[in-house]
């Protein structure tokens, strides 16, 4: 079965990061066996990895046409629709994946994320909670539910979820960052700084963590530390208008008007 051999070699190329060779092999497999659903699915995954969203959707759709009970194909097509901002189509695909595979925690999590993007917080929380019920060690679902709780002002629940995510995945930089923003919002500045610092330790190129820690330092009157953090945020993301504006404000408070004016000018060009 040459088609199967091409498909299998494509999988191996994929594992090695040789995406173009993988696609060539999957394409040969479907040429030899036009009803080869798995090869279409695999090529879709690789196209998705390469950012070829339209090609990925076409491949997943063909895989579904040939194998209508393929929950993973619906799930992955949903992810691709999500990437393209086609939320309603994404939700439909995640829902079909769940119908076919009721224990599909990842599909619940992703549908929750899409609901959250649409501002449907209650549905998002319900889906994240189901994902957690199905997979109690699902750190990402805890983090995502925390984000939704934070957005609707349920800060204590948000902090509890971020803390659980961190317990499950101690190197989870985003969960530290998110918990930091929630602590900052409720005036727990020292805890916020500790969380931003941990996020930076785990993810040293996170401009947002430096910016937010800078804001917290500024609120505490720690001007030099604030300037250092805003400066690092700008270094990492030179188009960060808010960081220039925030640093200008601190410079003005210190009487350094030339530096403040330079930052304001830089911000006005962004």
């Amino acid at each position: 079965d040459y088609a199967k051999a091409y498909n299998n070699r494509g999988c191996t190329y994929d594992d090695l990061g040789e995406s173009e060779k993988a696609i060539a092999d999957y394409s040969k497999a479907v040429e030899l066996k036009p009803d080869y659903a798995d090869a279409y699915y695999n090529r879709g995954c690789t196209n998705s990895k390469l950012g070829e969203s339209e090609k990925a959707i076409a491949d997943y759709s063909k895989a579904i046409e040939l194998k209508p009970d393929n929950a993973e194909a619906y799930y992955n097509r949903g992810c691709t629709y999500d990437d393209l901002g086609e939320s309603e189509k994404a939700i439909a695909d995640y829902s079909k994946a769940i119908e076919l595979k009721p224990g599909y925690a990842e599909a619940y999590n992703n549908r929750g994320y899409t609901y959250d993007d649409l501002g449907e917080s209650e549905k998002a929380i319900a889906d994240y909670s189901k994902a957690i019920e199905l997979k109690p060690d699902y750190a990402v679902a805890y983090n995502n539910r925390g984000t939704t709780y934070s957005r609707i002002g349920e800060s204590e629940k948000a902090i509890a979820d971020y803390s659980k995510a961190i317990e499950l995945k101690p190197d989870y930089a985003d969960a530290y960052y998110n918990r930091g923003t929630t602590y900052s919002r409720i005036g727990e500045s020292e805890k916020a700084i500790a969380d931003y610092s941990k996020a930076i330790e785990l993810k040293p190129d996170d401009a947002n963590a430096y910016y937010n820690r800078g804001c917290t330092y500024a609120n505490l009157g720690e001007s030099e530390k604030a300037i250092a953090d805003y400066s690092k945020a700008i270094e990492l993301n030179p188009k960060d208008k808010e960081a220039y504006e925030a640093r200008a404000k601190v410079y003005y408070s210190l009487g350094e008007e030339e530096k403040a004016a330079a930052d304001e000018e830089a911000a006005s060009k962004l």
Side-chain angles (χ1 to χ4, degrees):
D1 186 348
Y2 285 112
K4 188 174 182 181
Y6 275 108
N7 180 63
N8 289 351
R9 189 173 69 177
C11 291
T12 306
Y13 277 135
D14 234 348
D15 289 342
L16 294 170
E18 300 214 37
S19 300
E20 297 302 333
K21 288 181 179 178
I23 284 173
D25 273 353
Y26 297 140
S27 298
K28 188 66 179 175
V30 298
E31 180 189 320
L32 291 168
K33 189 179 176 185
D35 63 348
Y36 200 168
D38 289 352
Y40 279 107
Y41 171 77
N42 289 340
R43 190 173 67 180
C45 292
T46 308
N47 273 321
S48 183
K49 212 180 295 174
L50 293 172
E52 296 275 7
S53 300
E54 297 299 339
K55 289 180 181 178
I57 286 168
D59 279 340
Y60 293 138
S61 298
K62 187 67 179 177
I64 288 164
E65 177 192 320
L66 294 165
K67 199 174 177 180
D69 62 348
N70 188 342
E72 279 73 22
Y74 278 104
Y75 171 77
N76 280 13
R77 189 174 68 178
C79 293
T80 309
Y81 278 134
D82 243 347
D83 290 341
L84 293 172
E86 301 209 37
S87 301
E88 297 302 334
K89 289 181 179 178
I91 286 169
D93 273 351
Y94 295 140
S95 299
K96 186 66 179 179
I98 289 164
E99 178 191 319
L100 291 167
K101 188 179 172 182
Y104 207 159
E106 291 79 7
Y108 277 106
N109 176 68
N110 281 30
R111 190 175 68 179
Y113 195 87
T114 309
Y115 277 136
D116 194 36
D117 271 352
L118 293 173
E120 302 214 36
S121 302
E122 285 186 20
K123 288 182 180 179
I125 288 168
D127 273 350
Y128 293 140
S129 298
K130 185 66 178 178
I132 289 163
E133 177 192 320
L134 291 166
K135 194 176 175 181
D137 62 347
Y138 200 173
V140 170
Y142 276 105
N143 178 65
N144 288 349
R145 190 173 68 179
T147 301
T148 306
Y149 277 136
S150 182
R151 191 169 292 139
I152 63 174
E154 300 251 19
S155 298
E156 295 306 326
K157 288 181 179 178
I159 287 167
D161 273 350
Y162 295 139
S163 298
K164 185 65 179 179
I166 290 163
E167 177 192 320
L168 291 167
K169 189 179 175 185
D171 63 347
Y172 201 166
D174 289 351
Y176 278 106
Y177 172 81
N178 289 339
R179 191 173 67 178
T181 62
T182 308
Y183 276 137
S184 185
R185 194 177 301 130
I186 63 173
E188 297 262 13
S189 299
E190 296 301 335
K191 289 180 179 177
I193 287 168
D195 275 348
Y196 292 139
S197 298
K198 187 65 179 179
I200 288 164
E201 177 192 320
L202 293 166
K203 199 173 175 183
D205 61 348
D206 188 349
N208 289 330
Y210 278 104
Y211 170 77
N212 278 20
R213 190 175 67 177
C215 292
T216 311
Y217 279 135
N219 289 337
L220 291 172
E222 299 206 40
S223 301
E224 295 304 328
K225 288 181 180 178
I227 287 168
D229 274 352
Y230 293 142
S231 299
K232 186 67 179 178
I234 290 163
E235 178 191 321
L236 290 166
N237 179 15
K239 294 184 177 179
D240 190 344
K241 182 178 181 178
E242 288 182 347
Y244 279 108
E245 290 173 341
R247 191 172 66 177
K249 194 174 175 183
V250 179
Y251 278 138
Y252 273 126
S253 74
L254 295 172
E256 300 201 41
E257 294 190 5
E258 282 187 27
K259 289 180 179 178
D263 273 353
E264 284 187 335
E265 186 181 349
S268 72
K269 294 176 180 175
L270 296 172

